[in-house]
Amino acid sequence: LAKSVKDWRTFWPTAKSVIYEGEAELFRQNGPGWPPLSAVTNERRRKGKGKGDNEILRDSRKLMTSVTGASGKGTTKQNQMDLRIGTNLEYAAAHQFGLGKRAGWVPAHTVKAHRVKTHTRLGRPVRAHMVSEHTVQGHITKLPAVPARPFMRFTDNMIKNLRKGAARWLERQFAEGAS
């Protein structure tokens, strides 16, 4: 029955809805099966770099919203027989498939050094705060491995819902074609 359909374009909105909801559920459940965040990542978040919670792959929400249709920054391509949903974020593949330990380039940047010096003035301790800046040259450093956390995958629930939606759509198509 499904093989006789030559144009699925009117089904794609239903399929997109099911896929977007399934992707959102994966993010809400931290996978399931995604490796936990590293101690380094948790420490970075505690220091104010990022949202500060331990939600995996949701620090800025950009990746999640790109594959759930919430941001409009994902990619969708469709034609009569094909629907493709993805993301155009350059770091998405690193999270989907993982990266081993590797070297990375750290560009030149300015570092501020804060020093506190205590001295006495008229017999009383006085604290002087000094700030100095210096430029660190660009250099190569070791970057940590990024574990694979496949966020674009079909879950059993997504497949079940796609089958239900397709069955209803096919029934309507053939009922309309029979009348």
Side-chain angles (χ1 to χ4, degrees), residues 141-155:
T141 187
K142 290 180 183 175
L143 297 175
V146 176
R149 294 186 174 105
F151 58 90
M152 298 232 23
R153 65 175 192 236
F154 285 106
T155 64

Side-chain angles (χ1 to χ4, degrees), residues 18-19 153-166:
V18 169
I19 293 168
R153 65 175 192 236
F154 285 106
T155 64
D156 291 340
N157 197 39
M158 287 167 75
I159 292 168
K160 181 181 84 176
N161 290 336
L162 282 168
R163 284 183 175 150
K164 278 185 195 175

Side-chain angles (χ1 to χ4, degrees), residues 106-123:
V106 177
H109 58 281
T110 302
V111 175
K112 286 186 179 183
H114 297 270
R115 291 186 290 170
V116 178
K117 187 175 181 181
T118 306
H119 63 278
T120 57
R121 182 181 290 159
L122 301 174

Side-chain angles (χ1 to χ4, degrees), residues 21-93:
E21 180 51 41
E23 288 294 328
E25 187 62 24
L26 275 172
F27 280 92
R28 281 192 294 272
Q29 294 178 1
N30 284 331
W34 290 343
L37 295 173
S38 71
V40 171
T41 300
N42 283 327
E43 183 62 26
R44 181 179 58 84
R45 288 183 177 187
R46 273 195 289 282
K47 289 183 177 179
K49 295 182 173 112
K51 257 182 63 212
D53 56 28
N54 59 0
E55 295 176 328
I56 299 171
L57 297 184
R58 290 184 281 170
D59 194 31
S60 70
R61 304 259 191 260
K62 287 179 186 175
L63 182 61
M64 181 181 73
T65 59
S66 77
V67 295
T68 59
S71 71
K73 296 199 182 209
T75 61
T76 304
K77 292 181 181 170
Q78 62 189 48
N79 62 34
Q80 293 167 313
M81 300 300 287
D82 234 6
L83 171 66
R84 296 177 188 204
I85 295 175
T87 178
N88 55 9
L89 295 174
E90 60 187 40
Y91 55 84

